[in-house]
Amino acid sequence: MQVFMPEPQIYVERTLALIKPDVIDKEEEIEDIILRSGFTIVQKRKLQLSPEQCSNFYADQYGKMFFPNLTAYMSSGPLVAMVLARHNAIAYWKELIGPSNSIRAKETHPDSLRAIYGTDDLRNAVHGSIRFSSAEREIQFMFPEVIIEPIPVGQAAKDYLNLYVNPTLLAGLTELCKQKPADPLIWFADWLIEHNPNKPRLQQQMTVEEP
């Protein structure tokens, strides 16, 4: 009886995370939790938004009763913006931060970031994108001058691996078998550094001798 194992799938998703002004002193603690939860911090910056910028960022909340307080709070001091990446990043980040109301989060999700660091429905410590389209818009808003290369997923990721990664690994492993070093792990690591296909190469300058 043959057992067919499904081919491994590579899915990487991005989301925006904000550490809000009232917990900026807990930045290192929160980042440590983020990293230990399996996220990669792709981009990070510290900035302070004006009330107008906050209004644009939260444009979908315009007209609601709490909107003036929200923009005043978010522009009251510096905040930290981060682009987080991992499998199902949006869903996992939403789960990690918990409900938007910190008081309710303390009851229903006591281990969430908003339960630990938040105060109430407004001062809830952190922000997270709620869906894919929101994440793309919010990342572009917070990082307008930074070009983030799209992370390949699905077939695009397989094509990238087959074109750029697998040939290098195959060549390195073949050479490893030939050399049979005493410490194969260290040897292979050094070989990969030396033969990195993305390693920048200096152009050789031609010297022309005058007659």
Side-chain angles (χ1 to χ4, degrees), residues 127-141:
H127 167 86
S129 306
I130 61 174
R131 63 180 66 89
F132 181 80
S133 58
S134 302
E136 292 298 303
R137 182 187 70 81
E138 292 172 358
I139 289 172
Q140 185 62 41
F141 185 96

Side-chain angles (χ1 to χ4, degrees), residues 203-208:
Q203 293 183 349
Q204 295 182 350
Q205 295 182 347
M206 295 181 61
T207 302
V208 180

Side-chain angles (χ1 to χ4, degrees), residues 18-31 46 73-74 76-80 82 93 102 106 113-120 122-127:
L18 298 180
I19 300 177
K20 298 184 177 181
D22 58 320
V23 292
I24 198 72
D25 60 322
K26 302 296 184 181
E27 174 187 350
E28 291 187 8
E29 289 182 24
I30 295 174
E31 286 183 20
K46 183 178 289 187
Y73 160 56
M74 290 299 294
S76 63
L79 53 82
V80 175
M82 294 173 286
W93 178 238
S102 295
K106 295 177 190 296
L113 292 178
R114 283 171 170 163
I116 297 170
Y117 298 103
T119 304
D120 50 35
L122 179 65
R123 292 171 175 80
N124 58 4
V126 289
H127 167 86

Side-chain angles (χ1 to χ4, degrees), residues 40-72:
T40 297
I41 300 176
V42 180
Q43 297 287 344
K44 172 186 168 183
R45 65 183 298 211
K46 183 178 289 187
L47 68 161
Q48 181 160 355
L49 300 177
S50 68
E52 292 76 18
Q53 288 173 318
C54 291
S55 297
N56 292 331
F57 182 77
Y58 288 106
D60 57 334
Q61 305 291 342
Y62 182 78
K64 296 183 179 180
M65 291 286 292
F66 60 81
F67 188 76
N69 290 335
L70 175 63
T71 56

